PDB file of all heavy atoms in Angstrom:
ATOM      1  N   VAL A  32     171.783  86.326 115.408  1.00 98.00           N
ATOM      2  CA  VAL A  32     171.107  86.587 116.682  1.00 98.00           C
ATOM      3  C   VAL A  32     170.045  85.476 116.867  1.00 98.00           C
ATOM      4  O   VAL A  32     169.451  85.077 115.912  1.00 98.00           O
ATOM      5  CB  VAL A  32     170.475  87.963 116.782  1.00 98.00           C
ATOM      6  CG1 VAL A  32     171.563  88.983 116.764  1.00 98.00           C
ATOM      7  CG2 VAL A  32     169.496  88.189 115.666  1.00 98.00           C
ATOM      8  N   ILE A  33     169.876  85.143 118.110  1.00 97.00           N
ATOM      9  CA  ILE A  33     168.744  84.305 118.478  1.00 97.00           C
ATOM     10  C   ILE A  33     167.854  85.057 119.516  1.00 97.00           C
ATOM     11  O   ILE A  33     168.374  85.403 120.582  1.00 97.00           O
ATOM     12  CB  ILE A  33     169.208  82.961 119.078  1.00 97.00           C
ATOM     13  CG1 ILE A  33     170.064  82.203 117.996  1.00 97.00           C
ATOM     14  CG2 ILE A  33     168.127  82.104 119.549  1.00 97.00           C
ATOM     15  CD1 ILE A  33     170.677  80.929 118.500  1.00 97.00           C
ATOM     16  N   LEU A  34     166.594  85.176 119.138  1.00 98.00           N
ATOM     17  CA  LEU A  34     165.685  85.720 120.092  1.00 98.00           C
ATOM     18  C   LEU A  34     164.852  84.615 120.690  1.00 98.00           C
ATOM     19  O   LEU A  34     164.417  83.684 120.012  1.00 98.00           O
ATOM     20  CB  LEU A  34     164.747  86.684 119.327  1.00 98.00           C
ATOM     21  CG  LEU A  34     165.429  87.747 118.480  1.00 98.00           C
ATOM     22  CD1 LEU A  34     164.452  88.688 117.831  1.00 98.00           C
ATOM     23  CD2 LEU A  34     166.457  88.529 119.244  1.00 98.00           C
ATOM     24  N   ARG A  35     164.623  84.692 122.002  1.00 97.00           N
ATOM     25  CA  ARG A  35     164.005  83.624 122.707  1.00 97.00           C
ATOM     26  C   ARG A  35     162.676  83.997 123.288  1.00 97.00           C
ATOM     27  O   ARG A  35     162.469  85.128 123.679  1.00 97.00           O
ATOM     28  CB  ARG A  35     164.945  83.112 123.798  1.00 97.00           C
ATOM     29  CG  ARG A  35     166.277  82.657 123.335  1.00 97.00           C
ATOM     30  CD  ARG A  35     167.216  82.139 124.469  1.00 97.00           C
ATOM     31  NE  ARG A  35     168.540  82.052 123.962  1.00 97.00           N
ATOM     32  CZ  ARG A  35     169.020  81.048 123.242  1.00 97.00           C
ATOM     33  NH1 ARG A  35     168.149  79.984 122.998  1.00 97.00           N
ATOM     34  NH2 ARG A  35     170.225  81.005 122.791  1.00 97.00           N
ATOM     35  N   CYS A  36     161.811  82.999 123.359  1.00 97.00           N
ATOM     36  CA  CYS A  36     160.416  83.183 123.828  1.00 97.00           C
ATOM     37  C   CYS A  36     160.052  81.979 124.558  1.00 97.00           C
ATOM     38  O   CYS A  36     160.341  80.777 124.204  1.00 97.00           O
ATOM     39  CB  CYS A  36     159.488  83.407 122.598  1.00 97.00           C
ATOM     40  SG  CYS A  36     157.712  83.341 122.926  1.00 97.00           S
ATOM     41  N   VAL A  37     159.264  82.176 125.697  1.00 97.00           N
ATOM     42  CA  VAL A  37     158.613  81.091 126.349  1.00 97.00           C
ATOM     43  C   VAL A  37     157.129  81.311 126.288  1.00 97.00           C
ATOM     44  O   VAL A  37     156.581  82.241 126.937  1.00 97.00           O
ATOM     45  CB  VAL A  37     159.037  80.986 127.828  1.00 97.00           C
ATOM     46  CG1 VAL A  37     158.327  79.876 128.520  1.00 97.00           C
ATOM     47  CG2 VAL A  37     160.576  80.827 127.911  1.00 97.00           C
ATOM     48  N   PRO A  38     156.456  80.530 125.418  1.00 96.00           N
ATOM     49  CA  PRO A  38     154.967  80.703 125.253  1.00 96.00           C
ATOM     50  C   PRO A  38     154.230  80.260 126.533  1.00 96.00           C
ATOM     51  O   PRO A  38     154.813  79.642 127.407  1.00 96.00           O
ATOM     52  CB  PRO A  38     154.705  79.853 124.074  1.00 96.00           C
ATOM     53  CG  PRO A  38     155.952  79.579 123.392  1.00 96.00           C
ATOM     54  CD  PRO A  38     157.018  79.572 124.488  1.00 96.00           C
ATOM     55  N   ILE A  39     152.974  80.545 126.595  1.00 94.00           N
ATOM     56  CA  ILE A  39     152.151  79.993 127.603  1.00 94.00           C
ATOM     57  C   ILE A  39     152.080  78.511 127.539  1.00 94.00           C
ATOM     58  O   ILE A  39     151.925  77.935 126.435  1.00 94.00           O
ATOM     59  CB  ILE A  39     150.793  80.672 127.595  1.00 94.00           C
ATOM     60  CG1 ILE A  39     150.931  82.195 127.835  1.00 94.00           C
ATOM     61  CG2 ILE A  39     149.770  80.013 128.552  1.00 94.00           C
ATOM     62  CD1 ILE A  39     149.620  82.944 127.689  1.00 94.00           C
ATOM     63  N   SER A  40     152.152  77.846 128.691  1.00 91.00           N
ATOM     64  CA  SER A  40     152.545  76.398 128.763  1.00 91.00           C
ATOM     65  C   SER A  40     151.553  75.490 127.976  1.00 91.00           C
ATOM     66  O   SER A  40     151.980  74.527 127.403  1.00 91.00           O
ATOM     67  CB  SER A  40     152.679  75.976 130.161  1.00 91.00           C
ATOM     68  OG  SER A  40     151.491  76.092 130.908  1.00 91.00           O
ATOM     69  N   ASN A  41     150.225  75.711 127.927  1.00 89.00           N
ATOM     70  CA  ASN A  41     149.362  74.827 127.332  1.00 89.00           C
ATOM     71  C   ASN A  41     148.979  75.249 125.942  1.00 89.00           C
ATOM     72  O   ASN A  41     148.099  74.681 125.277  1.00 89.00           O
ATOM     73  CB  ASN A  41     148.013  74.670 128.157  1.00 89.00           C
ATOM     74  CG  ASN A  41     147.243  76.003 128.316  1.00 89.00           C
ATOM     75  OD1 ASN A  41     147.886  77.056 128.290  1.00 89.00           O
ATOM     76  ND2 ASN A  41     146.004  75.869 128.327  1.00 89.00           N
ATOM     77  N   HIS A  42     149.718  76.254 125.412  1.00 92.00           N
ATOM     78  CA  HIS A  42     149.399  76.769 124.036  1.00 92.00           C
ATOM     79  C   HIS A  42     150.160  75.871 123.010  1.00 92.00           C
ATOM     80  O   HIS A  42     151.239  75.316 123.267  1.00 92.00           O
ATOM     81  CB  HIS A  42     149.823  78.172 123.895  1.00 92.00           C
ATOM     82  CG  HIS A  42     148.868  79.113 124.543  1.00 92.00           C
ATOM     83  ND1 HIS A  42     148.961  80.522 124.549  1.00 92.00           N
ATOM     84  CD2 HIS A  42     147.798  78.873 125.358  1.00 92.00           C
ATOM     85  CE1 HIS A  42     147.932  81.033 125.229  1.00 92.00           C
ATOM     86  NE2 HIS A  42     147.237  80.059 125.672  1.00 92.00           N
ATOM     87  N   LEU A  43     149.542  75.814 121.863  1.00 90.00           N
ATOM     88  CA  LEU A  43     150.081  74.870 120.821  1.00 90.00           C
ATOM     89  C   LEU A  43     150.514  75.564 119.535  1.00 90.00           C
ATOM     90  O   LEU A  43     151.155  75.017 118.726  1.00 90.00           O
ATOM     91  CB  LEU A  43     148.970  73.839 120.432  1.00 90.00           C
ATOM     92  CG  LEU A  43     148.430  72.927 121.494  1.00 90.00           C
ATOM     93  CD1 LEU A  43     147.341  71.971 121.065  1.00 90.00           C
ATOM     94  CD2 LEU A  43     149.629  72.109 122.144  1.00 90.00           C
ATOM     95  N   TYR A  44     150.080  76.811 119.439  1.00 92.00           N
ATOM     96  CA  TYR A  44     150.414  77.646 118.215  1.00 92.00           C
ATOM     97  C   TYR A  44     151.314  78.803 118.611  1.00 92.00           C
ATOM     98  O   TYR A  44     151.045  79.511 119.597  1.00 92.00           O
ATOM     99  CB  TYR A  44     149.103  78.160 117.581  1.00 92.00           C
ATOM    100  CG  TYR A  44     148.323  77.031 116.995  1.00 92.00           C
ATOM    101  CD1 TYR A  44     147.436  76.287 117.914  1.00 92.00           C
ATOM    102  CD2 TYR A  44     148.268  76.734 115.635  1.00 92.00           C
ATOM    103  CE1 TYR A  44     146.647  75.224 117.335  1.00 92.00           C
ATOM    104  CE2 TYR A  44     147.490  75.714 115.177  1.00 92.00           C
ATOM    105  CZ  TYR A  44     146.705  74.953 116.018  1.00 92.00           C
ATOM    106  OH  TYR A  44     145.973  73.931 115.480  1.00 92.00           O
ATOM    107  N   PHE A  45     152.277  79.090 117.815  1.00 94.00           N
ATOM    108  CA  PHE A  45     153.297  80.081 118.142  1.00 94.00           C
ATOM    109  C   PHE A  45     153.574  81.011 116.931  1.00 94.00           C
ATOM    110  O   PHE A  45     153.461  80.497 115.776  1.00 94.00           O
ATOM    111  CB  PHE A  45     154.566  79.379 118.614  1.00 94.00           C
ATOM    112  CG  PHE A  45     154.362  78.271 119.678  1.00 94.00           C
ATOM    113  CD1 PHE A  45     154.665  76.942 119.256  1.00 94.00           C
ATOM    114  CD2 PHE A  45     153.846  78.556 120.878  1.00 94.00           C
ATOM    115  CE1 PHE A  45     154.445  75.936 120.162  1.00 94.00           C
ATOM    116  CE2 PHE A  45     153.647  77.551 121.749  1.00 94.00           C
ATOM    117  CZ  PHE A  45     153.896  76.165 121.399  1.00 94.00           C
ATOM    118  N   TYR A  46     153.877  82.196 117.268  1.00 95.00           N
ATOM    119  CA  TYR A  46     153.997  83.208 116.182  1.00 95.00           C
ATOM    120  C   TYR A  46     155.163  84.131 116.525  1.00 95.00           C
ATOM    121  O   TYR A  46     155.501  84.342 117.660  1.00 95.00           O
ATOM    122  CB  TYR A  46     152.727  84.023 116.045  1.00 95.00           C
ATOM    123  CG  TYR A  46     151.453  83.284 116.127  1.00 95.00           C
ATOM    124  CD1 TYR A  46     150.881  82.860 117.309  1.00 95.00           C
ATOM    125  CD2 TYR A  46     150.750  82.939 114.934  1.00 95.00           C
ATOM    126  CE1 TYR A  46     149.665  82.202 117.377  1.00 95.00           C
ATOM    127  CE2 TYR A  46     149.613  82.212 115.023  1.00 95.00           C
ATOM    128  CZ  TYR A  46     149.067  81.806 116.197  1.00 95.00           C
ATOM    129  OH  TYR A  46     147.879  81.165 116.256  1.00 95.00           O
ATOM    130  N   TRP A  47     155.742  84.693 115.415  1.00 97.00           N
ATOM    131  CA  TRP A  47     156.661  85.860 115.540  1.00 97.00           C
ATOM    132  C   TRP A  47     156.056  86.979 114.672  1.00 97.00           C
ATOM    133  O   TRP A  47     155.680  86.705 113.539  1.00 97.00           O
ATOM    134  CB  TRP A  47     158.047  85.495 115.140  1.00 97.00           C
ATOM    135  CG  TRP A  47     158.820  84.703 116.114  1.00 97.00           C
ATOM    136  CD1 TRP A  47     159.051  83.359 116.110  1.00 97.00           C
ATOM    137  CD2 TRP A  47     159.463  85.216 117.307  1.00 97.00           C
ATOM    138  NE1 TRP A  47     159.765  82.977 117.195  1.00 97.00           N
ATOM    139  CE2 TRP A  47     160.078  84.109 117.985  1.00 97.00           C
ATOM    140  CE3 TRP A  47     159.595  86.486 117.872  1.00 97.00           C
ATOM    141  CZ2 TRP A  47     160.842  84.272 119.178  1.00 97.00           C
ATOM    142  CZ3 TRP A  47     160.342  86.607 119.001  1.00 97.00           C
ATOM    143  CH2 TRP A  47     160.894  85.496 119.690  1.00 97.00           C
ATOM    144  N   TYR A  48     156.115  88.175 115.211  1.00 97.00           N
ATOM    145  CA  TYR A  48     155.799  89.412 114.540  1.00 97.00           C
ATOM    146  C   TYR A  48     156.935  90.353 114.739  1.00 97.00           C
ATOM    147  O   TYR A  48     157.657  90.259 115.666  1.00 97.00           O
ATOM    148  CB  TYR A  48     154.529  90.019 115.121  1.00 97.00           C
ATOM    149  CG  TYR A  48     153.227  89.204 114.821  1.00 97.00           C
ATOM    150  CD1 TYR A  48     152.856  88.183 115.697  1.00 97.00           C
ATOM    151  CD2 TYR A  48     152.354  89.560 113.813  1.00 97.00           C
ATOM    152  CE1 TYR A  48     151.609  87.443 115.556  1.00 97.00           C
ATOM    153  CE2 TYR A  48     151.163  88.926 113.644  1.00 97.00           C
ATOM    154  CZ  TYR A  48     150.812  87.788 114.520  1.00 97.00           C
ATOM    155  OH  TYR A  48     149.676  87.069 114.309  1.00 97.00           O
ATOM    156  N   ARG A  49     156.953  91.378 113.886  1.00 96.00           N
ATOM    157  CA  ARG A  49     157.941  92.404 114.092  1.00 96.00           C
ATOM    158  C   ARG A  49     157.279  93.764 113.890  1.00 96.00           C
ATOM    159  O   ARG A  49     156.316  93.886 113.112  1.00 96.00           O
ATOM    160  CB  ARG A  49     159.206  92.174 113.258  1.00 96.00           C
ATOM    161  CG  ARG A  49     159.012  92.671 111.807  1.00 96.00           C
ATOM    162  CD  ARG A  49     160.353  92.684 111.134  1.00 96.00           C
ATOM    163  NE  ARG A  49     160.187  93.224 109.778  1.00 96.00           N
ATOM    164  CZ  ARG A  49     161.138  93.236 108.826  1.00 96.00           C
ATOM    165  NH1 ARG A  49     162.283  92.625 109.071  1.00 96.00           N
ATOM    166  NH2 ARG A  49     160.921  93.801 107.671  1.00 96.00           N
ATOM    167  N   GLN A  50     157.924  94.816 114.447  1.00 92.00           N
ATOM    168  CA  GLN A  50     157.463  96.112 114.308  1.00 92.00           C
ATOM    169  C   GLN A  50     158.672  97.055 114.053  1.00 92.00           C
ATOM    170  O   GLN A  50     159.436  97.261 115.069  1.00 92.00           O
ATOM    171  CB  GLN A  50     156.611  96.589 115.535  1.00 92.00           C
ATOM    172  CG  GLN A  50     155.940  97.963 115.354  1.00 92.00           C
ATOM    173  CD  GLN A  50     155.211  98.386 116.569  1.00 92.00           C
ATOM    174  OE1 GLN A  50     155.509  98.046 117.688  1.00 92.00           O
ATOM    175  NE2 GLN A  50     154.196  99.269 116.380  1.00 92.00           N
ATOM    176  N   ILE A  51     158.861  97.435 112.908  1.00 92.00           N
ATOM    177  CA  ILE A  51     159.904  98.540 112.643  1.00 92.00           C
ATOM    178  C   ILE A  51     159.399  99.837 113.258  1.00 92.00           C
ATOM    179  O   ILE A  51     158.268 100.119 113.131  1.00 92.00           O
ATOM    180  CB  ILE A  51     160.156  98.537 111.139  1.00 92.00           C
ATOM    181  CG1 ILE A  51     160.828  97.239 110.635  1.00 92.00           C
ATOM    182  CG2 ILE A  51     161.153  99.797 110.805  1.00 92.00           C
ATOM    183  CD1 ILE A  51     160.969  97.154 109.171  1.00 92.00           C
ATOM    184  N   LEU A  52     160.339 100.557 113.752  1.00 88.00           N
ATOM    185  CA  LEU A  52     159.945 101.800 114.501  1.00 88.00           C
ATOM    186  C   LEU A  52     159.109 102.708 113.541  1.00 88.00           C
ATOM    187  O   LEU A  52     159.432 102.992 112.481  1.00 88.00           O
ATOM    188  CB  LEU A  52     161.242 102.577 114.843  1.00 88.00           C
ATOM    189  CG  LEU A  52     161.003 103.765 115.754  1.00 88.00           C
ATOM    190  CD1 LEU A  52     160.412 103.359 117.103  1.00 88.00           C
ATOM    191  CD2 LEU A  52     162.354 104.525 115.893  1.00 88.00           C
ATOM    192  N   GLY A  53     157.940 103.102 114.074  1.00 82.00           N
ATOM    193  CA  GLY A  53     157.060 103.990 113.399  1.00 82.00           C
ATOM    194  C   GLY A  53     156.138 103.250 112.375  1.00 82.00           C
ATOM    195  O   GLY A  53     155.365 103.858 111.724  1.00 82.00           O
ATOM    196  N   GLN A  54     156.342 101.953 112.250  1.00 85.00           N
ATOM    197  CA  GLN A  54     155.498 101.168 111.281  1.00 85.00           C
ATOM    198  C   GLN A  54     154.542 100.183 111.914  1.00 85.00           C
ATOM    199  O   GLN A  54     154.563 100.082 113.111  1.00 85.00           O
ATOM    200  CB  GLN A  54     156.418 100.513 110.207  1.00 85.00           C
ATOM    201  CG  GLN A  54     157.264 101.389 109.476  1.00 85.00           C
ATOM    202  CD  GLN A  54     158.124 100.706 108.407  1.00 85.00           C
ATOM    203  OE1 GLN A  54     157.731  99.623 107.909  1.00 85.00           O
ATOM    204  NE2 GLN A  54     159.193 101.264 108.013  1.00 85.00           N
ATOM    205  N   LYS A  55     153.748  99.478 111.161  1.00 87.00           N
ATOM    206  CA  LYS A  55     152.770  98.605 111.688  1.00 87.00           C
ATOM    207  C   LYS A  55     153.390  97.268 112.160  1.00 87.00           C
ATOM    208  O   LYS A  55     154.497  96.926 111.723  1.00 87.00           O
ATOM    209  CB  LYS A  55     151.671  98.362 110.765  1.00 87.00           C
ATOM    210  CG  LYS A  55     152.035  97.600 109.523  1.00 87.00           C
ATOM    211  CD  LYS A  55     150.908  97.159 108.650  1.00 87.00           C
ATOM    212  CE  LYS A  55     150.189  98.433 108.029  1.00 87.00           C
ATOM    213  NZ  LYS A  55     149.149  97.963 107.118  1.00 87.00           N
ATOM    214  N   VAL A  56     152.716  96.556 113.032  1.00 92.00           N
ATOM    215  CA  VAL A  56     153.111  95.229 113.407  1.00 92.00           C
ATOM    216  C   VAL A  56     152.848  94.284 112.252  1.00 92.00           C
ATOM    217  O   VAL A  56     151.830  94.261 111.664  1.00 92.00           O
ATOM    218  CB  VAL A  56     152.327  94.774 114.681  1.00 92.00           C
ATOM    219  CG1 VAL A  56     152.745  93.410 115.050  1.00 92.00           C
ATOM    220  CG2 VAL A  56     152.520  95.758 115.828  1.00 92.00           C
ATOM    221  N   GLU A  57     153.979  93.514 111.896  1.00 94.00           N
ATOM    222  CA  GLU A  57     153.849  92.617 110.723  1.00 94.00           C
ATOM    223  C   GLU A  57     154.104  91.201 111.102  1.00 94.00           C
ATOM    224  O   GLU A  57     154.946  90.828 111.848  1.00 94.00           O
ATOM    225  CB  GLU A  57     155.019  92.966 109.714  1.00 94.00           C
ATOM    226  CG  GLU A  57     155.006  94.379 109.191  1.00 94.00           C
ATOM    227  CD  GLU A  57     156.279  94.709 108.373  1.00 94.00           C
ATOM    228  OE1 GLU A  57     157.319  94.781 108.939  1.00 94.00           O
ATOM    229  OE2 GLU A  57     156.070  94.864 107.141  1.00 94.00           O
ATOM    230  N   PHE A  58     153.275  90.311 110.551  1.00 95.00           N
ATOM    231  CA  PHE A  58     153.401  88.838 110.725  1.00 95.00           C
ATOM    232  C   PHE A  58     154.651  88.391 110.066  1.00 95.00           C
ATOM    233  O   PHE A  58     154.915  88.760 108.979  1.00 95.00           O
ATOM    234  CB  PHE A  58     152.173  88.221 110.195  1.00 95.00           C
ATOM    235  CG  PHE A  58     152.229  86.730 110.039  1.00 95.00           C
ATOM    236  CD1 PHE A  58     152.107  85.951 111.168  1.00 95.00           C
ATOM    237  CD2 PHE A  58     152.564  86.178 108.820  1.00 95.00           C
ATOM    238  CE1 PHE A  58     152.152  84.527 111.067  1.00 95.00           C
ATOM    239  CE2 PHE A  58     152.645  84.761 108.760  1.00 95.00           C
ATOM    240  CZ  PHE A  58     152.379  83.942 109.843  1.00 95.00           C
ATOM    241  N   LEU A  59     155.358  87.511 110.780  1.00 97.00           N
ATOM    242  CA  LEU A  59     156.570  86.853 110.219  1.00 97.00           C
ATOM    243  C   LEU A  59     156.276  85.368 109.928  1.00 97.00           C
ATOM    244  O   LEU A  59     156.442  84.885 108.783  1.00 97.00           O
ATOM    245  CB  LEU A  59     157.776  86.959 111.118  1.00 97.00           C
ATOM    246  CG  LEU A  59     158.359  88.313 111.359  1.00 97.00           C
ATOM    247  CD1 LEU A  59     159.499  88.254 112.292  1.00 97.00           C
ATOM    248  CD2 LEU A  59     158.911  88.865 110.031  1.00 97.00           C
ATOM    249  N   VAL A  60     155.885  84.696 110.980  1.00 96.00           N
ATOM    250  CA  VAL A  60     155.777  83.207 110.860  1.00 96.00           C
ATOM    251  C   VAL A  60     154.819  82.623 111.883  1.00 96.00           C
ATOM    252  O   VAL A  60     154.756  83.214 113.025  1.00 96.00           O
ATOM    253  CB  VAL A  60     157.205  82.571 110.967  1.00 96.00           C
ATOM    254  CG1 VAL A  60     157.783  82.805 112.350  1.00 96.00           C
ATOM    255  CG2 VAL A  60     157.196  81.085 110.530  1.00 96.00           C
ATOM    256  N   SER A  61     154.147  81.530 111.581  1.00 92.00           N
ATOM    257  CA  SER A  61     153.379  80.765 112.533  1.00 92.00           C
ATOM    258  C   SER A  61     153.957  79.358 112.591  1.00 92.00           C
ATOM    259  O   SER A  61     154.406  78.875 111.579  1.00 92.00           O
ATOM    260  CB  SER A  61     151.932  80.788 112.238  1.00 92.00           C
ATOM    261  OG  SER A  61     151.600  80.322 110.948  1.00 92.00           O
ATOM    262  N   PHE A  62     153.772  78.757 113.737  1.00 93.00           N
ATOM    263  CA  PHE A  62     154.422  77.452 113.958  1.00 93.00           C
ATOM    264  C   PHE A  62     153.472  76.540 114.772  1.00 93.00           C
ATOM    265  O   PHE A  62     152.900  76.943 115.794  1.00 93.00           O
ATOM    266  CB  PHE A  62     155.700  77.733 114.727  1.00 93.00           C
ATOM    267  CG  PHE A  62     156.675  76.533 114.938  1.00 93.00           C
ATOM    268  CD1 PHE A  62     157.585  76.302 113.871  1.00 93.00           C
ATOM    269  CD2 PHE A  62     156.671  75.830 116.021  1.00 93.00           C
ATOM    270  CE1 PHE A  62     158.513  75.262 114.156  1.00 93.00           C
ATOM    271  CE2 PHE A  62     157.586  74.740 116.244  1.00 93.00           C
ATOM    272  CZ  PHE A  62     158.546  74.529 115.235  1.00 93.00           C
TER     273      PHE A  62
END
Side-chain angles (χ1 to χ4, degrees):
Chain A
V32 295
I33 297 176
L34 310 184
R35 302 180 192 279
C36 168
V37 179
I39 295 174
S40 61
N41 64 329
H42 285 185
L43 301 177
Y44 293 80
F45 314 112
Y46 315 84
W47 284 101
Y48 293 82
R49 79 172 186 189
Q50 184 182 28
I51 295 172
L52 187 65
Q54 299 185 24
K55 64 173 68 175
V56 177
E57 301 173 290
F58 169 78
L59 291 178
V60 65
S61 57
F62 190 86

